[in-house]
Amino acid sequence: MSTVQSANPFEFTQAAVMKLKNLIAEEENDRLMLRVYVTGGGCSGFQYGFTFDEDLQEDDTAVEREGVKMVVDPMSFQYLVGSEVDYQEGLEGSRFTVKNPNATTTCGCGASFSI
């Protein structure tokens, strides 16, 4: 496992940290981490996914902020370097989002992208 604490290859915003802290408290499970991943599909070729995980895999990269962790697997890592994970609430609902400087195009909802 690779845990990164300075010169992070990706970031998560204060809004994402606060939402993650709230969700962990609701679940009453301090081991939960936000796993961000990329899969094929969506209207632009790749799509972002978010899930909770209790276990770090040996080859995961983890970024910790204010006591909460975001983890990324090695396949997804290459697509997420330099990205920022945020949490937004709006007319379209509440969700985690990714601002990805590597994406050349994104779909209208921001859930899928192409490189």
Side-chain angles (χ1 to χ4, degrees):
M1 175 207 48
S2 172
T3 299
V4 180
Q5 292 185 350
S6 61
N8 293 336
F10 42 85
E11 298 286 339
F12 55 127
T13 66
Q14 185 64 34
V17 168
M18 295 310 297
K19 185 61 178 180
L20 186 52
K21 283 183 174 185
N22 289 340
L23 291 170
I24 290 169
E26 285 176 19
E27 292 295 319
E28 299 177 351
N29 183 350
D30 291 337
R31 293 186 58 211
L32 287 178
M33 300 168 281
L34 180 65
R35 181 170 294 279
V36 183
Y37 59 93
V38 173
T39 61
C43 54
S44 297
F46 295 102
Q47 58 189 4
Y48 302 111
F50 303 92
T51 190
F52 288 101
D53 203 335
E54 292 182 340
D55 300 312
L56 282 172
Q57 302 303 313
E58 185 175 314
D59 50 0
D60 282 343
T61 299
V63 173
E64 184 172 346
R65 181 172 173 192
E66 297 181 33
V68 295
K69 288 183 184 175
M70 179 175 66
V71 296
V72 176
D73 65 89
M75 192 285 296
S76 300
F77 180 86
Q78 63 187 325
Y79 298 109
L80 293 170
V81 170
S83 295
E84 177 183 81
V85 175
D86 192 14
Y87 182 78
Q88 299 178 344
E89 295 180 358
L91 295 175
E92 296 176 359
S94 303
R95 61 190 172 132
F96 286 100
T97 62
V98 177
K99 294 176 188 166
N100 189 340
N102 305 307
T104 56
T105 59
T106 60
C107 67
C109 68
S112 69
F113 67 102
S114 64
I115 300 281

